[in-house]
Amino acid sequence: MNCPSCGTSRRYRSVLCFACVQAGVDPTEVAGGDSAVRDRLERYFVVSALRCADCGGPHEAVTVGETSYTAADFGIDSPTEWVREMDKEEAWIAKHASAVDRALDALEREWPTAVAAVRDRRRPR
């Protein structure tokens, strides 16, 4: 397969070739980036679900489809770590706003509450 950024062979890399990765090309900004954005948003949705609304601590596991995720899968072992991870993901969402907007429509059927929350957080107050 070829790199969607420069067209050269990307060999075993998943989205971009080694040269484009080294050059700092953002995979969300090139053709085929939509799937990378959707994957990142789904990751954000799972991480957000890992915090218990009642006690504020991390859930033992969250199941999406047939896959279960734990807080440890994301390096989260405390409420503070969860907040740090969410801040990192929300900064990424803000930086890639136009790509995120395009991807939200595709995710709305599977993740209606999470998509609504992202849209609501991004609305100017």
Side-chain angles (χ1 to χ4, degrees), residues 12-70:
Y12 302 107
R13 300 204 55 87
S14 60
V15 178
L16 299 174
C17 70
F18 181 76
C20 287
V21 169
Q22 291 299 309
V25 173
D26 184 346
T28 62
E29 300 296 324
V30 298
D34 287 346
S35 65
V37 173
R38 284 193 303 273
D39 290 348
R40 184 75 182 251
L41 282 169
E42 285 183 320
R43 180 187 191 286
Y44 170 74
F45 297 159
V46 170
V47 169
S48 70
L50 286 169
R51 183 171 187 223
C52 178
D54 295 327
C55 73
H59 283 289
E60 213 169 284
V62 171
T63 302
V64 178
E66 295 180 11
T67 306
S68 288
Y69 301 93
T70 66

Side-chain angles (χ1 to χ4, degrees), residues 64-114:
V64 178
E66 295 180 11
T67 306
S68 288
Y69 301 93
T70 66
D73 292 334
F74 301 95
I76 299 169
D77 60 4
S78 69
T80 303
E81 285 297 320
W82 180 85
V83 169
R84 226 177 262 138
E85 188 67 21
M86 290 298 289
D87 287 347
K88 178 181 81 174
E89 294 301 317
E90 289 170 0
W92 181 88
I93 288 170
K95 182 178 178 182
H96 299 91
S98 62
V100 166
D101 287 339
R102 290 189 305 268
L104 287 175
D105 291 336
L107 293 168
E108 195 160 18
R109 179 181 282 171
E110 279 184 275
W111 299 92
T113 305

